[in-house]
């Protein structure tokens, strides 16, 4: 049933995001730093420096907005894919690869309604620590320089903002369109991701089914979700880099600004080289693999069906 699908998708999203959010924060910071302004050399370096400067909970900056919106986002994604697969297979025949890809395309298009504002707000909060750390480093360098011997520079104090404050400011200055900045880049990432992910998962999961009418074991669904998720994540990482850069409202010192997808792509290629489009790719694979593995296990075990079945019995 649709309610069960929505609940399953929501539970899956909450569990997955809680487990992998620190890696996602590292991915955002690595993707946003530009040549000449590098604060972090790797995922582990980013996480260690984040804990040292911002504490353990610094790794979960932006988690609240993600946990709030991931439920409808994952629910829409998984339920929409099932919806399109159901309607594309009404003739009773097995879904062709093309129809599986069309179902994934539909799911990816539907989910951006929630994904775009969620990613927009999350990125601001995740990247705030990197920008603050960069400013502190430059202030410390200025204090050590001979020209600053006459007087010490003012200490840099990071002003902590919340998702609510960012939302209010965007709505006040730009209206609802402010929350949907980077919509085109989000579509460019999420539609191809779903086109790759859902057919790949479905076919990998079928390999573990002894009987077409019996669900695959949970570990098969988990591994299928991990493999399909990491493969799709790496495949669309260049689009994710562009999306992250476009959705970042604040820049570090001497960092480029972008007017759109083509301008961002051109500047990254010219100034940072083609390998810049793979920034954070392994972080993204590490995020997406368990996230979708957990999501598919929860979704296919059907926790919601169990909970919904218990309701009438309790009333009785």
């Amino acid at each position: 049933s649709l309610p069960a699908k929505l609940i399953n998708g929501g539970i899956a999203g909450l569990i997955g995001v809680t487990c992998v959010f620190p890696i996602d924060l590292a991915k955002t910071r690595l993707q946003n730093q530009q040549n000449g302004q590098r604060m972090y050399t790797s995922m582990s370096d980013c996480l260690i420096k984040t804990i040292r400067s911002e504490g353990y909970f610094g790794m979960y900056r932006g988690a609240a907005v993600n946990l709030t919106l991931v439920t409808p986002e994952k629910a829409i994604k998984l339920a929409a894919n099932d919806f399109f697969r159901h309607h594309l297979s009404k003739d009773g025949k097995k879904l062709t690869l093309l129809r599986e890809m069309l179902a994934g395309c539909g799911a990816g298009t539907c989910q951006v309604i929630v994904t775009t504002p969620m990613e927009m707000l999350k990125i601001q909060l995740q990247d705030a620590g990197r920008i603050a750390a960069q400013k502190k480093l430059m202030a410390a360098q200025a204090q050590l320089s001979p020209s600053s011997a006459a007087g010490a520079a003012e200490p840099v104090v990071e002003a902590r903002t919340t998702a609510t404050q960012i939302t209010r400011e965007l709505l006040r200055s730009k209206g609802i369109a402010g929350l949907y900045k980077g919509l085109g880049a989000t579509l460019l990432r999420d539609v191809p991701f779903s086109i790759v992910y859902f057919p790949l998962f479905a076919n990998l999961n079928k390999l573990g089914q002894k009987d077409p009418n019996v669900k695959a074991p949970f570990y098969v669904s988990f591994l299928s979700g991990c493999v399909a998720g990491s493969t799709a994540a790496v495949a669309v990482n260049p689009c994710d880099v562009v999306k992250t850069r476009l959705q970042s409202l604040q820049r570090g010192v001497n960092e480029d600004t972008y007017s759109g997808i083509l301008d961002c792509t051109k500047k990254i290629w010219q100034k940072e080289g083609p390998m810049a489009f793979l920034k954070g790719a392994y972080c993204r694979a590490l995020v997406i693999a368990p996230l979708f593995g957990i999501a598919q296990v929860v979704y296919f075990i059907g926790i919601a069906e169990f909970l919904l079945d218990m309701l009438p019995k309790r009333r009785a």
Side-chain angles (χ1 to χ4, degrees), residues 66-80:
N66 210 19
L67 288 170
T68 302
L69 295 177
V70 75
T71 298
E73 189 252 359
K74 283 289 175 288
I76 289 170
K77 188 186 190 85
L78 295 172

Side-chain angles (χ1 to χ4, degrees), residues 132 135-136 139-140 143 152-158:
K135 289 178 179 177
K136 286 178 184 177
Q143 286 179 334
E154 290 279 335
V156 176
V157 180
E158 181 189 355

Side-chain angles (χ1 to χ4, degrees), residues 105-121:
C105 178
T109 304
C110 290
Q111 78 170 80
V112 298
I113 298 168
V114 177
T115 304
T116 305
M118 179 183 76
E119 293 271 317
M120 176 74 177
L121 295 171

Side-chain angles (χ1 to χ4, degrees), residues 147-226:
S147 59
S148 64
E154 290 279 335
V156 176
V157 180
E158 181 189 355
R160 292 250 175 171
T161 57
T162 65
T164 304
Q165 290 172 330
I166 296 169
T167 302
R168 285 175 180 169
E169 178 58 29
L170 285 170
L171 290 174
R172 185 189 64 79
S173 60
K174 299 181 181 179
I176 193 70
L179 290 172
Y180 281 87
K181 183 180 180 183
L183 174 62
T186 306
L187 278 168
L188 200 62
R189 180 198 69 173
D190 287 350
V191 172
F193 177 93
S194 294
I195 288 173
V196 173
Y197 172 79
F198 283 110
L200 183 56
F201 168 79
N203 285 284
L204 288 174
N205 198 51
K206 282 177 187 174
L207 296 176
Q209 289 179 277
K210 295 180 180 178
D211 187 326
N213 298 317
V214 179
K215 287 182 180 179
F218 79 93
Y219 62 87
V220 173
S221 292
F222 176 77
L223 291 174
S224 299
C226 288

